[in-house]
Amino acid sequence: MKLYDVYPLFDITIARGKGCKVWDEKGQEYLDLYGGHAVISIGHCHTHYVDAMTKQLNTLGFYSNSVQNPLQNILAERLGKACGYEGYSLFLINSGAEANENAMKLASFHNGRTRILSLEKAFHGRTSLAVEATANPRIIAPVNSNGHVTYLPINDIQPWADELRKGDVCAVIIECVQGVGGIRMVTKEFYQALRKLCTETGTVLIADEIQCGYGRTGKFFAHQWLMDEKDGAYDMTQAPDIVTVAKGICNGFPMGGVIISPVFQAVYGQLGTTFGGNHLACAGAIAVLDVIENEHLVENARKVGQWLMDELKDLQKTCSHIVDVRGKGLMIGIELDMPYKEPRTRLVKELHCFTGCSGTNVLRLLPPLCLTMDEAKDFVGRLKQAIG
């Protein structure tokens, strides 16, 4: 049997990693400014994470959700404190797409409606309704194209108001920093107006924090940049009804979560999962929170990310190939005046640095949150060589 040919691949085999660096099978070192699609949150092979996973695997890796799993309760309590949503509930599953599927399903159970509003250039996953809410017709199969979703422009509230006031919208799902969409951020004015409209119309507001959350932007959630804050506390009347997480939650081990407002009442049988919230995943996710807190990685993402943004904007003044630099924390898009393929390939093949991409001409940076200032400076130097 051969692998189904899904991805175009670099002719590189990564054999090991540590922190923000990886090495191929020949021993060549690479600076990792992508973290496997924002998955590596605390760095490759962090000792505390490896020890926690190893200890749990030597004890019990998996048992079903038909019995008590105290690790789930510990994780829920720790995550609630870390993100500031202690009054919410947590449902654990396996991936970001699954998190968004369950969020929209829960919203529909809640208000009985079927319409979804999503941003133009949105990406919410590749399964069923998640892919229908993704604004890319090339990956929406006919069986998924069911007319549930309307795509609307970012930061232009009037079209959203027009749709919401029809009174038949089940949920609004948004990434407050679009990843695949080119690192475009929702404005505070737009977000707060949208939150108000959702409240007025009985529409569920879902914040997809799968890529932009878990400390990446310098706050635990990207949407928290858009909420009013006083004396260190967020105005929770502006909070989403549901928040979805995955990617960075377990530093590479498959896991996702749905963080659910107390306005929702749990009903046996509505939601379920086989592998979700298993013992090994919970142990890893708790270890990730340990490292984020003990090593102040949210603060590091804010500090190093701001320095990197400033340096890239300075570089833009002297490099005609850089059209725009945008983002927040360690989620940065570098828009070029040419397709990203050539400079990205040069970065990987000649300068030994991994980045991501989006659209046709945006380099996307999603490094581990432990990226140091020296590593950020190193990247800027390599980028200068790559784009001239």
Side-chain angles (χ1 to χ4, degrees):
M1 185 183 292
K2 295 181 179 179
L3 292 175
Y4 196 62
D5 193 8
V6 175
Y7 308 108
L9 304 175
F10 285 110
D11 186 21
I12 297 169
T13 301
I14 297 301
R16 63 187 179 94
K18 190 68 177 176
C20 293
K21 293 180 180 177
V22 293
W23 289 262
D24 67 21
E25 60 184 353
K26 300 174 184 177
Q28 176 63 56
E29 180 185 284
Y30 297 78
L31 181 62
D32 185 7
L33 265 288
Y34 199 50
H37 308 292
V39 165
I40 302 300
S41 50
I42 61 171
H44 296 279
C45 299
H46 193 288
T47 302
H48 178 67
Y49 172 80
V50 172
D51 288 347
M53 293 286 275
T54 303
K55 181 180 178 181
Q56 186 60 48
L57 192 56
N58 281 320
T59 305
L60 178 67
F62 174 86
Y63 203 73
S64 82
N65 283 310
S66 62
V67 298
Q68 297 287 328
N69 179 354
L71 291 173
Q72 293 183 355
N73 297 312
I74 294 170
L75 175 57
E77 183 179 353
R78 290 284 306 280
L79 179 54
K81 289 180 179 178
C83 71
Y85 286 7
E86 293 176 88
Y88 281 48
S89 300
L90 177 65
F91 174 54
L92 294 166
I93 58 285
N94 311 288
S95 69
E98 192 177 347
N100 285 335
E101 288 283 345
N102 279 282
M104 289 184 281
K105 180 179 180 181
L106 192 60
S108 188
F109 275 128
H110 179 70
N111 59 26
R113 303 172 188 172
T114 59
R115 289 188 64 210
I116 305 292
L117 302 185
S118 178
L119 284 168
E120 293 173 353
K121 300 187 178 181
F123 185 92
H124 296 294
R126 295 178 179 272
T127 58
S128 192
L129 186 54
V131 79
E132 190 179 354
T134 293
N136 182 353
R138 292 179 300 171
I139 65 171
I140 302 174
V143 72
N144 304 125
S145 185
N146 295 311
H148 294 115
V149 182
T150 302
Y151 310 111
L152 298 172
I154 192 169
N155 297 329
D156 179 3
I157 196 63
Q158 192 57 53
W160 297 79
D162 293 343
E163 293 297 325
L164 285 164
R165 285 175 178 146
K166 292 177 182 178
D168 63 346
V169 176
C170 167
V172 165
I173 184 167
I174 57 170
E175 308 155 272
C176 287
V177 183
Q178 291 186 292
V180 174
I183 315 296
R184 301 182 188 278
M185 189 167 187
V186 167
T187 65
K188 185 173 184 177
E189 295 74 18
F190 176 81
Y191 173 82
Q192 292 196 5
L194 191 58
R195 170 68 279 183
K196 185 177 179 182
L197 283 163
C198 285
T199 301
E200 291 173 356
T201 59
T203 304
V204 176
L205 178 59
I206 303 168
D208 177 343
E209 293 276 350
I210 289 160
Q211 186 171 135
C212 60
Y214 245 81
R216 178 149 300 280
T217 65
K219 288 186 182 285
F220 200 91
F221 291 135
H223 70 260
Q224 290 171 329
W225 287 103
L226 311 176
M227 295 168 64
D228 291 329
E229 189 176 1
K230 185 177 182 181
D231 299 326
Y234 296 109
D235 180 353
M236 293 303 288
T237 65
Q238 299 171 354
D241 300 301
I242 300 176
V243 181
T244 56
V245 294
K247 294 192 184 293
I249 190 173
C250 203
N251 206 51
F253 192 86
M255 193 180 205
V258 186
I259 300 171
I260 305 163
S261 162
V263 304
F264 294 86
Q265 297 297 314
V267 177
Y268 289 153
Q270 280 189 349
L271 307 181
T273 175
T274 296
F275 297 106
N278 64 75
H279 296 72
L280 187 57
C282 286
I286 292 166
V288 166
L289 288 174
D290 289 340
V291 176
I292 286 176
E293 292 167 11
N294 295 336
E295 299 185 9
H296 310 290
L297 294 189
V298 178
E299 294 85 347
N300 187 70
R302 188 184 311 170
K303 178 183 176 182
V304 178
Q306 187 59 59
W307 182 89
L308 190 49
M309 285 278 292
D310 291 343
E311 285 294 304
L312 292 170
K313 287 181 178 179
D314 282 344
L315 180 59
Q316 181 184 355
K317 297 173 185 176
T318 58
C319 179
S320 61
H321 291 306
I322 299 178
V323 174
D324 192 20
V325 177
R326 52 184 179 262
K328 204 78 172 173
L330 290 175
M331 187 173 186
I332 298 173
I334 306 167
E335 185 174 344
L336 305 175
D337 68 347
M338 56 183 166
Y340 62 72
K341 184 176 181 179
E342 184 177 333
R344 184 178 181 227
T345 300
R346 190 176 178 201
L347 276 166
V348 174
K349 295 287 186 69
E350 300 175 27
L351 300 165
H352 309 301
C353 179
F354 282 107
T355 71
C357 55
S358 61
T360 57
N361 61 340
V362 177
L363 293 174
R364 185 164 36 138
L365 308 183
L366 300 163
L369 306 184
C370 59
L371 185 76
T372 66
M373 202 70 79
D374 285 343
E375 288 166 336
K377 292 176 183 176
D378 186 1
F379 168 73
V380 173
R382 299 189 202 201
L383 180 65
K384 287 179 182 178
Q385 295 181 64
I387 61 179

